Amino acid sequence: MKKILQCLCDHLSQLFLVSAKTLTPFFEEMAQAAWQVPMSQTLREAIASIGRRAETAMLKATNGVNTHKGAIWALGLFVSAVSSQYSRKQSLFFPEIFSDIQTLVSFADWQGAATNETHGHAVKQKYGGLGAFGEAAAGYPHVQIALADYFSRDLVLSDENKLHMLLAIIASLDDTCILYRSDPAVLSHVQGLAATANQQALPNHDFQFLNDYCQRMHISLGGSADLLAASLFMLSLESIVSPGSVKARHEIVTQK
């Protein structure tokens, strides 16, 4: 049985790598579409169109397995906002990246409005909450929470600190991937386990308990993983942010 599970994990890892490689040129296309273009209706529709083509390519590459749909949405918005700001101002300002995303999603995606039947949309209809669109419209508060966790530690992007960032997200996010497959009680339990695990150095007993519980209950933390990806993308910009952004980025995350 253990050997079967290991083979399954290896297969899924390869599937995610294939999917990520497939999506790379689409993120590049989004960056090009946003180059020297301010947040606007035209850019919103252009990015949405590229995103839909990216999703089609992903599903084809994975034989119908949804590996990165949420990441296409989140990273697509961050890539676009960063490309737009950097090309027009020759600098990056963390708080403005979040506000630019809020502006961008305030414009309607008319073509995508008719195809809004996602798992996240179904969960929002049933339980409420932000969902992927609401998270973006709010300026990605959980990305800011993850960055706050990172800035509160030793500022070394180790595997342990990445896991701390993930736990910070899980502890406060109404993850629609969890809600779709279970219910609010399970979500609340997972959030509590993550919050406890994040209070100590990793690895720890509570973290292992959370991991075992998620595996036993077949819980997907896909929404949290998408936001971690966006958070790590933001940290990858450290070397090119404007000097004033260093203080501002800390302030914006510690206010959350």
Side-chain angles (χ1 to χ4, degrees):
M1 183 58 143
K2 184 176 181 181
K3 187 174 182 180
I4 293 174
L5 289 175
Q6 183 60 51
C7 289
L8 178 59
C9 288
D10 290 344
H11 171 71
L12 290 174
S13 296
Q14 287 300 314
L15 201 63
F16 272 83
L17 290 173
V18 168
S19 175
K21 186 175 181 180
T22 299
L23 294 175
T24 299
F26 292 98
F27 289 128
E28 292 174 351
E29 188 178 348
M30 290 178 186
Q32 291 169 355
W35 192 256
Q36 295 189 332
V37 178
M39 303 299 101
S40 62
Q41 180 69 50
T42 300
L43 180 60
R44 173 75 167 95
E45 294 185 12
I47 297 306
S49 177
I50 298 169
R52 281 188 285 273
R53 288 193 285 108
E55 183 180 336
T56 298
M58 171 199 72
L59 293 173
K60 182 178 180 180
T62 61
N63 292 317
V65 179
N66 174 15
T67 50
H68 288 108
K69 184 172 182 177
I72 294 171
W73 166 257
L75 285 174
L77 291 172
F78 275 97
V79 166
S80 301
V82 167
S83 176
S84 172
Q85 184 182 142
Y86 190 73
S87 63
R88 291 182 297 113
K89 302 182 179 181
Q90 288 73 55
S91 64
L92 289 176
F93 192 59
F94 270 36
E96 193 172 335
I97 294 172
F98 292 112
S99 61
D100 278 352
I101 289 174
Q102 288 179 285
T103 301
L104 185 58
V105 300
S106 70
F107 297 103
D109 171 21
W110 297 113
Q111 187 175 348
T115 57
N116 201 26
E117 295 305 316
T118 63
H119 290 175
H121 180 70
V123 167
K124 187 174 182 180
Q125 292 292 101
K126 186 174 183 179
Y127 298 116
L130 287 179
F133 179 83
E135 179 77 16
Y140 279 101
H142 289 90
V143 171
Q144 297 186 41
I145 286 171
L147 293 176
D149 189 276
Y150 172 77
F151 290 129
S152 72
R153 301 183 190 275
D154 54 15
L155 303 187
V156 175
L157 199 55
S158 61
D159 289 342
E160 290 77 12
N161 281 354
K162 291 176 186 177
L163 286 173
H164 276 299
M165 292 169 69
L166 177 61
L167 289 171
I169 295 171
I170 296 171
S172 57
L173 178 70
D174 290 340
D175 195 321
T176 56
C177 288
I178 298 177
L179 287 172
Y180 184 78
R181 295 171 176 82
S182 55
D183 55 49
V186 171
L187 171 66
S188 179
H189 186 55
V190 169
Q191 290 174 327
L193 292 174
T196 302
N198 204 32
Q199 293 172 4
Q200 308 166 53
L202 294 172
N204 58 56
H205 173 77
D206 294 304
F207 177 77
Q208 188 59 53
F209 190 81
L210 170 64
N211 182 59
D212 292 343
Y213 178 76
C214 288
Q215 290 191 44
R216 185 172 69 253
M217 298 295 290
H218 304 289
I219 294 171
S220 168
L221 302 170
S224 300
D226 294 334
L227 296 176
L228 175 65
S231 304
L232 295 176
F233 173 69
M234 288 289 281
L235 288 180
S236 75
L237 306 172
E238 287 266 33
S239 63
I240 56 174
V241 294
S242 61
S245 186
V246 176
K247 181 174 184 290
R249 73 189 174 193
H250 178 73
E251 290 176 348
I252 194 169
V253 295
T254 52
Q255 289 170 4
K256 294 294 173 182

